Amino acid sequence: MQFLLYILIYPILWLISILPFRLLYAFSDFIYLIVYYVIGYRKKTVRENLALALPDLSDKERLVIEKKSFHYLCDMFLEMIKTMTISKKELNKRYVFTNMETYIELERKGKSIALMCAHYASYEWAVSMNHHINFIGYGIYKKIANKYFDKLVRDIRSKFKAVLITTKETKSTIENNAKNNILGIYGFASDQTPRRSDNLYWYTFMGIETPIHFGAEMLAKRYNMNVIFLKGKRIKRGYYEASFEILSEDVKSIPNYKISEEFIRRVEQQIYEAPEFYLWTHKRWKHKK
């Protein structure tokens, strides 16, 4: 059944991926109308999240952000599909790193790097950084249930020299690399809500006290990695810029959870600047005190 689903859907994805960007975004405009006005995909969740995170705005102002966020969600989804066939030259033109020298200087320190980022502004295209770096780039992701689509995602990322590891494989991969003196950069998208457990750290995110992820910080401390934040920004439709901001070059000297707190503050700043490019469809604040 998994294979049947794959062979039915894959040709559609491939055809979408070869569309010129002009047609791709015209198709996105159409998909937006279906997703927002007909299906109403997670509209209730988005509306609740915006009300929680941006209470100072009027209902009318939040509605504008809501519609823009859904429109952008459709763009981002089709951009992800476009990654199947996009050329290295085209992607490097559309996703630009403004201060790659900051990252390269960190590589010269001779320590592995934990990169923390948010689900914001075509975070999927950040995979293009692997063409500019010397370390092995590891992307941490949640395994897809359909093994054929899971392999497809891995193959697409490997085209950009990225190695995908599941959340369950992260600790063992970092540990084995550390033992064998293999330097790597590990990408953590740490802004979404963690699973409910007894081992939670609570902090204020967008004015709401909620659990936050701290695994990236703790792994960085255990294996003495430098930590950076990747800040993404959409310049115009289909074009992005990203910059590296150093969170710590001496992680063991910083009290526990402070790096994670600083990461959350920088994500907040991103969102306040342009909230429509954040992934509002997930229940980010489902755990509250």
Side-chain angles (χ1 to χ4, degrees), residues 42-58:
R42 296 197 178 186
K43 189 184 290 187
K44 181 180 176 182
T45 298
V46 172
R47 198 160 290 177
E48 289 174 349
N49 283 341
L50 288 172
L52 282 169
L54 303 169
D56 294 336
L57 298 183
S58 67

Side-chain angles (χ1 to χ4, degrees), residues 194-202 211-215 218 257:
R195 291 181 179 179
R196 184 57 129 158
S197 70
D198 294 330
N199 187 26
L200 293 176
Y201 181 70
W202 295 78
I212 64 170
H213 282 285
F214 57 87
M218 295 309 167
Y257 308 115

Side-chain angles (χ1 to χ4, degrees), residues 15-113:
L15 287 172
I16 292 172
S17 76
I18 64 173
L19 289 174
F21 274 97
R22 188 172 169 182
L23 291 180
L24 187 79
Y25 290 125
F27 184 48
S28 179
D29 293 340
F30 171 73
I31 293 295
Y32 161 70
L33 296 176
I34 302 298
V35 169
Y36 186 76
Y37 289 104
V38 179
I39 300 174
Y41 172 74
R42 296 197 178 186
K43 189 184 290 187
K44 181 180 176 182
T45 298
V46 172
R47 198 160 290 177
E48 289 174 349
N49 283 341
L50 288 172
L52 282 169
L54 303 169
D56 294 336
L57 298 183
S58 67
D59 290 343
K60 186 177 180 180
E61 288 171 322
R62 285 197 295 268
L63 183 61
V64 171
I65 294 170
E66 176 185 305
K67 290 180 178 180
K68 285 183 177 179
S69 72
F70 271 99
H71 209 159
Y72 177 67
L73 180 68
C74 296
D75 278 6
M76 185 179 68
F77 178 68
L78 293 182
E79 286 169 357
M80 289 166 59
I81 296 174
K82 185 68 176 176
T83 312
M84 293 174 64
T85 56
I86 196 171
S87 68
K88 171 185 172 182
K89 181 180 179 181
E90 183 70 25
L91 186 54
N92 287 341
K93 181 178 75 173
R94 290 178 173 272
Y95 198 95
V96 176
F97 295 91
T98 61
N99 61 337
M100 185 56 70
E101 66 282 355
T102 299
Y103 169 80
I104 296 300
E105 184 59 34
L106 270 190
E107 280 197 343
R108 296 193 183 105
K109 308 284 184 180
K111 296 197 296 185
S112 287
I113 299 168

Side-chain angles (χ1 to χ4, degrees), residues 181-197:
N181 296 316
I182 298 172
L183 296 174
I185 173 169
Y186 305 91
F188 296 84
S190 302
D191 58 308
Q192 295 297 324
T193 186
R195 291 181 179 179
R196 184 57 129 158
S197 70

Side-chain angles (χ1 to χ4, degrees), residues 34-275:
I34 302 298
V35 169
Y36 186 76
Y37 289 104
V38 179
I39 300 174
Y41 172 74
R42 296 197 178 186
K43 189 184 290 187
K44 181 180 176 182
T45 298
V46 172
R47 198 160 290 177
E48 289 174 349
N49 283 341
L50 288 172
L52 282 169
L54 303 169
D56 294 336
L57 298 183
S58 67
D59 290 343
K60 186 177 180 180
E61 288 171 322
R62 285 197 295 268
L63 183 61
V64 171
I65 294 170
E66 176 185 305
K67 290 180 178 180
K68 285 183 177 179
S69 72
F70 271 99
H71 209 159
Y72 177 67
L73 180 68
C74 296
D75 278 6
M76 185 179 68
F77 178 68
L78 293 182
E79 286 169 357
M80 289 166 59
I81 296 174
K82 185 68 176 176
T83 312
M84 293 174 64
T85 56
I86 196 171
S87 68
K88 171 185 172 182
K89 181 180 179 181
E90 183 70 25
L91 186 54
N92 287 341
K93 181 178 75 173
R94 290 178 173 272
Y95 198 95
V96 176
F97 295 91
T98 61
N99 61 337
M100 185 56 70
E101 66 282 355
T102 299
Y103 169 80
I104 296 300
E105 184 59 34
L106 270 190
E107 280 197 343
R108 296 193 183 105
K109 308 284 184 180
K111 296 197 296 185
S112 287
I113 299 168
L115 181 148
M116 301 180 73
C117 66
H119 291 81
Y120 186 93
S122 198
Y123 55 92
E124 287 283 345
W125 276 4
V127 69
S128 64
M129 75 176 288
N130 289 285
H131 286 132
H132 306 285
I133 67 177
N134 300 307
F135 286 4
I136 300 173
Y138 294 88
I140 300 165
Y141 83 114
K142 186 176 181 180
K143 190 173 183 178
I144 300 171
N146 186 308
K147 65 181 180 180
Y148 300 101
F149 282 111
D150 189 74
K151 183 180 183 301
L152 175 63
V153 170
R154 287 176 176 269
D155 290 345
I156 292 170
R157 294 299 179 268
S158 66
K159 184 176 76 170
F160 297 96
K161 300 182 180 180
V163 179
L164 286 192
I165 53 176
T166 65
T167 49
K168 292 182 178 179
E169 296 170 330
T170 303
K171 185 172 178 254
S172 60
T173 300
I174 295 174
E175 183 176 7
N176 289 336
N177 284 347
K179 286 179 180 178
N180 293 295
N181 296 316
I182 298 172
L183 296 174
I185 173 169
Y186 305 91
F188 296 84
S190 302
D191 58 308
Q192 295 297 324
T193 186
R195 291 181 179 179
R196 184 57 129 158
S197 70
D198 294 330
N199 187 26
L200 293 176
Y201 181 70
W202 295 78
Y203 188 61
T204 301
F205 179 38
M206 302 296 289
I208 307 151
E209 194 169 10
T210 185
I212 64 170
H213 282 285
F214 57 87
E217 175 183 348
M218 295 309 167
L219 286 170
K221 288 189 172 188
R222 180 176 298 179
Y223 298 103
N224 194 27
M225 296 189 283
N226 289 326
V227 185
I228 57 176
F229 172 64
L230 182 67
K231 181 179 181 180
K233 180 180 180 181
R234 191 169 93 149
I235 305 304
K236 61 180 180 178
R237 201 173 197 184
Y239 290 87
Y240 303 86
E241 285 183 355
S243 57
F244 299 100
E245 299 177 359
I246 297 174
L247 295 182
S248 177
E249 295 184 63
D250 186 14
V251 291
K252 294 185 177 181
S253 69
I254 299 176
N256 285 347
Y257 308 115
K258 294 301 179 185
I259 293 174
S260 301
E261 290 179 359
E262 179 60 27
F263 164 72
I264 289 297
R265 284 193 290 268
R266 298 198 188 200
V267 174
E268 285 180 335
Q269 182 184 8
Q270 265 188 312
I271 295 171
Y272 285 131
E273 287 175 1

